[in-house]
Amino acid sequence: MKAVVFHEFGGLDVLKLEEVDDPQAGPGEVVLDVAASALNHLDVDIREGISRFPIEPPHILGVEVVGRVSETGSDVKGWQPGDRAMVFLMDVCKDCRYCRTGRESLCVEPGFVGFSTSGGYAQKIAVAAGHLVRLPDDVPDEEAAALQIAFATAWHMLFTRGRLRAGETVLINSVGSGVGSAAVQLARIGGATIIGTASTDEKLEQAAELGMHHGINHREQDVVAEVMRLTDDQGVDLAYEHVGGDHFQSALDSLCKDGRLVTCGAHAGEVVPFDIIPFFRGQKSIIGSFVYNRDELERCIKLAQSGDVKPLVHKVFPLEEAREAMAMMERREHFGKIVLKP
Ligand SMILES: [Zn+2]
């Protein structure tokens, strides 16, 4: 099969399109013919060797994969060749204290597609059957590939970790990104008033079409001052943060008293100082969020099926153009996901 492989950590030029052996389905595994594979900023960190996950080259990137089962190994039940499936990011043990209490995103022995297996920048992928989620026929391949991490992460952050309720006001940072634009769509369904930030007016206009009520251009406007103006100096109930650096501090300063900040990322700065005094006097909370549960993903697939949310696909590239696709993502000019089709 064809696959995009890197043999050393580095920039775009380490990506090579190669002919490699077809993966085989071991016990409990299936092989999927990949139909679509979405790009993630995490892929850049993995390629550069700064992801803080234990990955050694040679490696095939790609954690958001959709395809059709082409082969099933021994001990696989419920899946047949031809079945359409999404690869759930995690394969959890189902047995640790977190799995047993409905918190599988905290599983102590998770397997991750694209980390503990090879990834989706390829024509085929072998994964444990425990990774598979059934995909309804009326969600197209590209949209399904674009859905998982953006929407399920946003669901876990907004509703499970952030406890967003109807009538609350939420600040969503970087609404042009995958997790940002998904959060706008889900917070709209959840009945929240949505204030969003972005680096360009164009991205703010696109987010407004998805249901964002107020936009702030963080390059030209003071985010905290604008939030306070829009909320009668109260601040927001929930800040949805995934950017890090200065964006983390401005989100924290935008909270009302007893407000919550939920965070899942830090590309713009992983270590930040923050002012402890107003934080505890205002009885604010900072909440960490990591991945999502299968149930949350399945709810998001249902919302895409019913048309209540629309996974955004910015551009589809053939596998051969993986470098161009990653370059586009790294320029951060896109609105929605970039998807590879083998
Ligand atoms: Zn577990």
Side-chain angles (χ1 to χ4, degrees), residues 124-272:
K124 291 172 183 286
I125 184 173
V127 294
H131 276 292
L132 300 188
V133 173
R134 222 164 279 280
L135 200 55
D137 284 338
D138 39 7
V139 182
D141 291 332
E142 295 88 346
E143 290 188 18
L147 179 148
Q148 183 176 168
I149 290 184
F151 281 89
T153 300
W155 183 293
H156 191 64
M157 287 180 72
L158 287 172
F159 303 128
T160 306
R161 303 292 296 152
R163 303 184 307 280
L164 182 66
R165 292 185 295 270
E168 288 194 323
T169 300
V170 59
L171 172 69
I172 298 175
N173 271 348
S174 197
V175 289
S177 67
V179 285
S181 57
V184 169
Q185 296 191 52
L186 291 175
R188 184 202 66 217
I189 292 172
T193 299
I194 303 163
I195 302 172
T197 73
S199 57
T200 68
D201 290 345
E202 193 189 1
K203 287 179 179 178
L204 292 173
E205 280 160 25
Q206 286 167 308
E209 284 170 21
L210 298 174
M212 183 185 75
H213 300 91
H214 308 285
I216 301 173
N217 183 325
H218 64 70
R219 290 230 169 106
E220 293 172 0
Q221 293 174 285
D222 179 326
V223 172
V224 179
E226 272 303 294
V227 166
M228 292 305 162
R229 188 183 67 78
L230 291 164
T231 59
D232 293 331
D233 284 327
Q234 296 297 303
V236 297
D237 301 286
L238 179 68
Y240 177 98
E241 221 298 283
H242 55 103
V243 186
D246 295 340
H247 300 266
F248 179 89
Q249 183 66 56
S250 60
L252 197 56
D253 292 341
S254 297
L255 292 178
C256 68
K257 290 187 176 183
D258 199 22
R260 296 99 62 199
L261 181 153
V262 62
T263 177
C264 78
H267 273 98
E270 296 180 0
V271 179
V272 294

